Amino acid sequence: MIKRSTAGMLALLLASTAHAQVAKPTENLAAPVKTFGRVSYDARSLMIDGKRRVIWSAEFHPFRLPSPDLWRDVLQKLKASGFNTVAIYFDWGYHSPKQGVYDFTGIRDMDRVLREAAEEGLYVITRAGPYVNAELSRGGFPGWLVNQRGRARTDDAAYMAAADEWLTRIDAIIARHQINNGGSVILHQIENELALTTSAQRRYMDHLYAKARGDGITVPLFHNDQGRNGYWVPESSTVANVVHGPNDLYAFDGYPGGTCTAQGKPTRGSAAPDWGYYGTGGAKGGASASPDTPAFLAEFGGGWFDYWGSNGGYDCNAIQRGKRFQRVFYGTNLANGIDIQSVYMGYGGTSWGWLPAPVVFTSYDYGSAISEPRELRTKAEEMKQLGGLIAAVPDLAGMVPAGEPIVSSPNVQVYHNKNPETDARFLMVTHKPSNGSTDDRFTITADLPDGRYTLPAAEPMRLNGFDAKWLVAGVTIGKQRLVYSTSELQAAMSVDGSDLMLLYGRAGESGETMLRYESAPQVRVLEGQATSRFDAAKGDLRLDYPHQGRAVVRVEGGGRPPLTLILADEAEAVRYWRQGPALVRGPALVRSVTLKGGTLAIIGDTREDTPLEIWAAKAVKSIRWNDSAVATRPTAIGSRTAERNLAGPAPISLPTLTWRAAYGSPEAQPGFDDSMWQSAEGKPYASITARPDGQPNLSMDAYGFHDGDVWYRGRFTGTPDAKQIALYYGAGGSGMVQVWVDGRFVGQDELPGGLPRPITTGTARFDLPASAQGTGEHVVSIMVRNNGHNWDLDSDDAHKEARGLISASIEAPGGRSFAVPVAWKIQGKQGGEDLPDPARGVANNGGQYGERTGWHLPGFDDAKWQAAPTSVQPGTTWYRSRFDLALPKGQDTTVAVAFGDTDTPRSVARYRALVFVNGWNIGQFIAHVGPQRVFPIPEGILNHHGTNTIALAVTSDGAPGDMLEPVKLVTMRTVKGGLPVRMVDAPQRIEASK
Ligand code: GAL
């Protein structure tokens, strides 16, 4: 065995690396350990209880899943998919409808999600804002904050006082769940992508750091830099040209990897970036900006968001950043020493109600590993394999470059790292450049801990197409010595004094595994094909086999405890789950395995009739699957199999929806009683939007209406010259305005959606009807749909862009405006900032008449409503349907509401609908904009075993054909298994106010 000192190894590395520059200077690798209770770090990695850990994390937003019983489902799926950490954004606005008012109950119970994450064995990275971005309206700022004049995200006193209100509360919750206090929070983020660096922002950052510490947050603190810009790097960094800030760790985010085309097709994408050891980014480049803290990607794109008017990009995003992307990109990050890596998103979920920023529509599926209806996409299988490797080889944490090996093909590169303490190796094999897609055969020659090898010894290895291999060498696993393997390690387990390893490779490729023994061991091929040879001089046992289905090899003697090797192709390997004290093959998901008193209890899901095979201790006397006994028998390969297949889900049948309807825009009528509405005057103007002189402050936020729809009614005295009304309005991406004069619809205007920044304000002119052109009193009624406030990505107060009307003027022909005073009244959501329905909360409602009178709620009595109309009126028409569901128990089904022809992203018909299920606004459908037509409803919002109500608020211009298309319930997925889900508690009715 060749042993080298660490210093010697580093010298070798510096001499032999062919990469132009080691971006993270290796001399800093001796940086001292900094300790924050149970969490500590040095330059190489985070440590928990003094043990180095690769932090392999995925992002989840509980606020995007308003059924808290399902949070655990997502957490378990992340855990089962190999993640050891979950990163969580908290949305300030979600908890605070009004300054000083906060809610952390029900769907807002953040204590619960943190507790459950710990129970599921996940570490947590908390990201508490105050600003989070996250494609949320106002980037997560509360509605009321837009009425503050001072610049947000600076040390403006009013802003900081507001932020402190939030932080005091959320920090108190987070503090309880820190690993230092018995929970599992290990890292905490204090701001997000604050990319300007004024002194006011520096003071603000100092304040945020002090606030977190003052609130009892004791784990390391960080900021998430938007890319590798060197913003808010810890003071300890001596690198020039970076912006220092009050952080313990430097973290950044990145979304490389190409995009989908407008047609929804993946592009080839760029090569994986070297953002750590192997990069050439210069002083500001990634991990190098802070050489004495571990490299930390607080977000790495695991998908991408989709926007109003696209052709439907989520499935494409899932492919673009899918299986092979993950292998190449996450592997390259790991090879670069990025030992803290968080995939954004692990589960995207739903931007329900008025959560979405103008840029996105309701679904925040993101193309992530867990889809919006909570299905594990195939890309999750590969995450499980990387997570399995990280769990099986703790030596991967804190590795450093070990010198470039000789690779026989110019098209292939190998990142070669070593653990300075154990000398274990990581060989990340990919194309050169890594987005290459040729079919290459090659060998690797390297000085490995157990000697110099050219591997494989038999046939060359193959890298076929865009792909990477995560190989390890010179590692001790259990009591075995893995000299190298050209197969990848997915799982390992030691049980009853024997070791088990699950290795896999691409179907049809050959694999070679070299193990070290004192003397010739006995090798038995129990299943499939494999050959072995022993080199007595070195003590090397070489196994050669094809990756085809499965081979099982048992090695005994040779001076080591017995070893079982499961050698699988990929399709076979992804069927295995390493959970608790067992390795389980078969089910679509294994959530947990526990051993108690001789009974092995396995909990999981099946998608179909499924065989079950288990490796576990001999002490296991009985096996239970989802609380039912399973009869098993031992196999010749040391496992046990179930005598009978596990059952799959029963078929689902869903009712046909029938509708009653009522017209819901009575505000349009001149005689409508608006006496209780606020007068739109006299409120201070805090918006950044310039408004023409002499106009009253019409912006909806000034009157306490921050989300959804708002109505205006204006009274004016006509003049014979008055021909038009000109409006300037703010409404977010794909927002709109509808206008009536004296009860006559005069038209509507819609804003386009689209990236990168949607058009969020608009101007429109409407002709006044002849009857309104004369003298006399007239009434103009205007409905503005506010599709969200801008985010504050550039910390320029863009979230304070005005919403609702900005100005309105009566004009003569040619656009000459008169000083016709209009007495405006305004009405938005019922109660404004004082919510009548705090359970559903701030994001659920806007100011439609039907919302103010409770038509969206299940308890509303619609007996007097009519059958669905056959023609359409301008304005909003409500449809309600009541139906019973009796879905199979013990089954996890995601039911969705689907509009029209789900094969096309857009309809010819021009209309939009707010979708309320049992009172919950689960999204907005815009028929002619698209692309989302199918709206999943989480169980708990939908009652799978009882009565449900769907209410649709359908808004149209009234043109023939612009009306609701057929709406049906569809099943997006169903499995047998799942977790018990209770209905989310929320009122059945509210007191109407018009
Ligand atoms: C990041 C940001 C996230 C999210 C993401 C894109 O830059 O930190 O909040 O907006 O981009 O989905």
Side-chain angles (χ1 to χ4, degrees), residues 89 132-135 192-193 224 253 255 299 304-305 344 364 366:
Y89 264 150
V132 296
N133 208 55
E135 289 69 71
N192 194 73
E193 298 190 332
N224 170 35
D253 62 26
Y255 288 78
E299 292 170 29
W304 190 239
F305 58 83
Y344 189 102
Y364 200 68
Y366 220 84

Side-chain angles (χ1 to χ4, degrees), residues 449-471:
D450 300 291
R452 185 176 178 82
Y453 287 90
T454 293
L455 55 115
E459 281 178 57
M461 237 184 284
R462 184 173 180 191
L463 191 65
N464 184 8
F466 178 47
D467 200 357
K469 297 188 183 192
W470 305 316
L471 308 182

Side-chain angles (χ1 to χ4, degrees), residues 178 520 573 646 739 796 816:
Q178 292 176 102
L646 306 174
V739 184
D796 53 3
R816 188 166 51 86

Side-chain angles (χ1 to χ4, degrees), residues 2-21:
I2 301 169
K3 284 244 179 205
R4 285 200 191 90
S5 70
T6 304
M9 232 8 248
L10 290 179
L12 177 81
L13 130 81
L14 291 169
S16 67
T17 180
H19 293 282
Q21 182 187 346

Side-chain angles (χ1 to χ4, degrees), residues 486-504:
T486 65
S487 304
E488 292 157 271
L489 181 66
Q490 179 176 323
M493 184 167 90
S494 296
V495 66
D496 296 332
S498 303
D499 294 306
L500 179 78
M501 288 181 211
L502 167 61
L503 294 153
Y504 65 95

Side-chain angles (χ1 to χ4, degrees), residues 663-674 677 709-715 738-744 779-784 824-830 846-853 855 874-878 993-994:
Y663 184 67
S665 298
E667 302 93 333
Q669 295 310 311
F672 179 82
D673 177 8
D674 60 15
W677 290 20
D709 297 344
V710 63
W711 276 91
Y712 296 86
R713 286 171 49 88
R715 292 183 174 75
Q738 291 194 316
V739 184
W740 289 258
V741 176
D742 295 337
R744 302 238 334 238
V779 180
V780 54
S781 301
I782 297 174
M783 190 281 287
V784 182
W824 289 104
K825 298 203 103 183
I826 181 170
Q827 177 64 61
K829 75 161 92 170
Q830 192 191 141
Q848 280 292 329
Y849 181 83
E851 294 178 277
R852 305 194 314 264
T853 47
W855 293 4
T876 297
T877 302
W878 285 72
S993 86
K994 295 174 184 170

